[in-house]
């Protein structure tokens, strides 16, 4: 296992442990005002999803396929980076698989003929970028990034409302108050963290995969700091304790659904334009 | 020192077309031919060129089983690819001729 694989697996395990710990805390400490059966069901769901996500990371990113086992360590290290970059790109799935297969065949042939990885690919990052550039014109467009962020944020909003509703049916789906600080965190995740994580596969430094923890703990630390020292400052109290109802009624839900569908269509069209840029 | 990179981009594309105009072959062989002609290239240079030419419809691709594992891609020129190669050769002749003229005239000026 390469250092990169170890870090990716470690990052997935750490995330899962954090989520599982939160779920266990929710079960053991509970909240008097909430239905314990709902809490247990949600917690078990979180624990199962976390465990499955670790297995998914292992199977999709860590476990080598039979042909990949033929690459020696230095060839595999570079292949892994190219593969992850291509798989995280905007290309259609069949094209991604075709390119990854081409690269694997190319590296196996070079290794078989006694060439070094350095002589074969030179700078791996440039090579990965040039492959994407040959297919799309540029690695990622700003419009696509914005559309992805918007879709992510709306899905987060729907998911949070759904989770809160499952915790406590009595309040009703359209009466769920969400903390403003949570909404801000969702905006950071959708528009900054996820796009940044997608770019990490292009970087040699795999420690960048641990950045979600840094962002998470920094955010929690900032919130704690604000609560301890700046609570009375203008706007801080609202940010920390204020709540909003993201989906107040059926009309809002309908609007969100229509916007979401529109964003999906816009994203599909933008992606097609992006892919046809150099075709 | 003069950077070869920009100048090489278009020329390499033409050379790849030239190799494929003679025979159907795969990526590693194309690199070998180019290296034997003293081009400083590797698979990372040639693969994106093949990908681009394929997307533009100049190459026909066939996947065949390989002893090493994954199927190997064999490339050949499509009729459009042949026309494109002919236009590259014409353009190359004109450019080569023009550059030679300029370089020759510089040489004559220096001698005078």
């Amino acid at each position: 296992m390469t250092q990169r694989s170890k870090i990716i697996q470690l990052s997935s395990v750490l995330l899962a442990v954090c989520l599982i710990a939160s779920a266990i805390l929710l079960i053991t400490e509970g909240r008097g005002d909430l239905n314990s059966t709902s809490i247990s069901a949600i917690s078990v769901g979180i624990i199962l999803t976390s465990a499955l996500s670790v297995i998914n990371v292992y199977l999709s990113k860590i476990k080598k396929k039979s042909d990949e086992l033929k690459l020696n360590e230095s060839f595999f290290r570079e292949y892994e980076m190219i593969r992850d970059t291509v798989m995280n790109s905007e290309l259609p799935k069949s094209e991604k698989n075709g390119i990854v297969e081409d690269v694997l065949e190319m590296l196996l042939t070079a290794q078989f003929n006694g060439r070094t990885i350095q002589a074969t690919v030179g700078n791996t990052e440039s090579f990965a970028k040039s492959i994407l550039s040959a297919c799309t014109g540029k690695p990622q467009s700003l419009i696509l990034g914005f559309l992805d962020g918007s879709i992510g944020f709306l899905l987060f909003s729907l998911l949070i409302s759904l989770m809160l509703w499952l915790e406590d049916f009595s309040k009703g789906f359209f009466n769920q108050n969400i903390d403003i600080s949570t909404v801000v965190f969702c905006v950071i995740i959708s528009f900054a963290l996820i796009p940044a994580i997608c770019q990490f596969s292009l970087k040699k430094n795999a420690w960048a995969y641990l950045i979600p923890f840094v962002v998470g703990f920094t955010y929690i630390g900032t919130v704690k700091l604000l609560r301890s020292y700046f609570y009375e400052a203008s706007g801080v109290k609202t940010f920390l304790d204020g709540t909003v109802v993201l989906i107040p009624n059926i009309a809002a839900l309908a609007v969100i659904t229509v916007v979401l569908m529109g964003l999906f269509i816009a994203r599909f069209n933008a992606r097609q334009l992006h892919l046809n840029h150099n075709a | 020192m003069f950077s070869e990179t920009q100048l090489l981009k278009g020329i390499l594309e033409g050379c790849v077309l030239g190799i494929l105009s003679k025979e159907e072959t795969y990526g590693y062989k194309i690199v070998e031919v180019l290296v034997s002609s003293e081009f400083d290239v590797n698979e990372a240079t040639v693969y994106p060129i093949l990908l681009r030419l394929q997307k533009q419809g100049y190459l026909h691709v066939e996947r065949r089983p390989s002893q090493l594992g994954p199927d190997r891609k064999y490339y050949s020129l499509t009729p459009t690819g042949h026309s494109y190669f002919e236009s590259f050769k014409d353009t190359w002749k004109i450019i080569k001729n023009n550059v030679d003229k300029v370089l020759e005239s510089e040489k004559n000026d220096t001698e005078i």
Side-chain angles (χ1 to χ4, degrees):
Chain A
M1 196 189 274
T2 61
Q3 193 200 23
R4 183 188 179 83
S5 306
K6 285 176 191 164
I7 295 169
I8 293 173
Q9 189 70 77
L10 173 73
S11 136
S12 71
V13 170
L14 282 176
L15 267 176
V17 166
C18 287
L19 280 168
I20 291 171
S22 313
I24 290 171
L25 270 178
L26 190 67
I27 295 175
T28 54
E29 306 227 325
R31 274 170 56 187
D33 57 327
L34 298 180
N35 180 335
S36 63
T37 318
S38 300
I39 289 183
S40 301
I42 290 170
S43 301
V44 168
I46 291 172
I47 292 169
L48 277 176
T49 311
S50 306
L52 286 174
S53 69
V54 174
I55 296 169
N56 179 44
V57 167
Y58 175 74
L59 291 176
S60 63
K61 289 199 180 284
I62 314 294
K63 190 170 183 281
K64 292 181 184 178
K65 294 174 184 76
S66 61
D67 288 330
E68 292 174 347
L69 285 167
K70 295 173 188 166
L71 290 172
N72 66 34
E73 199 185 327
S74 60
F75 269 82
F76 183 77
R77 202 168 39 237
E78 305 306 312
Y79 162 76
E80 196 180 28
M81 190 178 144
I82 300 164
R83 181 197 64 191
D84 288 355
T85 306
V86 172
M87 294 314 274
N88 284 341
S89 72
E90 286 300 325
L91 299 172
K93 197 163 188 293
S94 59
E95 197 170 349
K96 287 179 190 175
N97 292 337
I99 291 172
V100 169
E101 196 180 339
D102 291 349
V103 172
L104 180 57
E105 192 279 324
M106 187 181 86
L107 294 183
L108 280 169
T109 307
Q111 182 183 283
F112 180 77
N113 286 287
R115 287 165 63 89
T116 63
I117 185 67
Q118 191 57 36
T120 309
V121 296
N123 181 323
T124 313
E125 194 175 331
S126 304
F127 177 41
K129 280 181 179 170
S130 68
I131 291 175
L132 296 185
S133 172
C135 296
T136 66
K138 47 188 170 178
Q140 169 73 296
S141 81
L142 278 176
I143 296 170
L144 276 173
F146 176 75
L147 293 175
D148 283 344
S150 307
I151 290 170
F153 177 70
L154 286 178
L155 288 176
F156 270 126
S157 306
L158 283 171
L159 194 67
I160 291 171
S161 299
L162 187 69
M163 292 286 278
L164 291 172
W165 178 58
L166 287 174
E167 269 188 358
D168 184 8
F169 290 110
S170 63
K171 283 177 82 177
F173 183 77
F174 298 115
N175 200 21
Q176 298 297 338
N177 291 298
I178 300 171
D179 296 344
I180 291 177
S181 57
T182 306
V183 176
V184 171
F185 194 47
C186 285
V187 171
I188 294 173
I189 292 175
S190 306
F191 290 98
L193 193 57
I194 292 176
I197 291 168
C198 289
Q199 289 298 312
F200 291 161
S201 55
L202 269 172
K203 308 291 174 204
K204 284 249 179 191
N205 185 2
W207 290 105
Y209 276 96
L210 291 176
I211 213 163
F213 297 98
V214 178
V215 173
F217 286 114
T218 306
Y219 192 77
I220 293 168
T222 309
V223 167
K224 289 272 180 202
L225 202 70
L226 287 172
R227 192 174 287 283
S228 303
Y229 300 104
F230 304 98
Y231 190 67
E232 297 304 326
S234 163
V236 173
K237 196 174 178 180
T238 315
F239 170 69
L240 294 175
D241 293 336
T243 58
V244 283
V245 180
L246 287 179
I247 311 170
N249 48 44
I250 186 88
L253 180 64
V255 169
I256 288 177
T257 310
V258 170
V259 170
L260 207 50
M261 282 168 65
L263 283 170
F264 272 117
I265 293 167
R267 192 190 180 286
F268 178 78
N269 289 333
R271 185 166 170 267
Q272 291 306 110
L273 275 174
H274 181 66
L275 293 176
N276 293 334
H277 186 264
N278 262 13
Chain B
M1 196 180 160
F2 180 76
S3 162
E4 284 184 20
T5 318
Q6 286 305 316
L7 189 63
L8 264 179
K9 265 190 173 177
I11 297 173
L12 270 179
E13 197 173 278
C15 291
V16 168
L17 289 167
I19 294 166
L20 294 174
S21 71
K22 291 177 195 141
E23 58 171 346
E24 179 196 50
T25 188
Y26 57 95
Y28 185 77
K29 284 286 170 200
I30 297 171
V31 175
E32 271 193 332
V33 174
L34 290 168
V35 169
S36 70
S37 307
E38 299 194 13
F39 275 106
D40 183 17
V41 294
N42 56 22
E43 285 82 344
T45 324
V46 172
Y47 180 66
I49 294 175
L50 290 168
L51 212 53
R52 199 162 33 243
L53 289 171
Q54 184 193 338
K55 277 188 125 356
Q56 289 168 335
Y58 299 135
L59 302 184
H60 170 74
V61 175
E62 201 176 311
R63 283 186 184 272
R64 292 186 202 147
S66 150
Q67 291 176 329
L68 295 174
D71 287 352
R72 177 171 285 164
K73 262 166 127 178
Y74 284 81
Y75 301 90
S76 59
L77 291 192
T78 59
T80 335
H82 278 288
S83 317
Y84 186 56
F85 177 52
E86 289 307 315
S87 76
F88 166 79
K89 282 199 291 187
D90 294 341
T91 313
W92 172 245
K93 273 178 203 159
I94 296 167
I95 290 173
K96 185 178 180 297
N97 200 22
N98 293 349
V99 173
D100 283 346
K101 273 185 203 165
V102 172
L103 295 184
E104 277 300 310
S105 71
E106 270 185 7
K107 192 180 164 191
N108 293 338
D109 289 348
T110 317
E111 281 170 2
I112 291 166

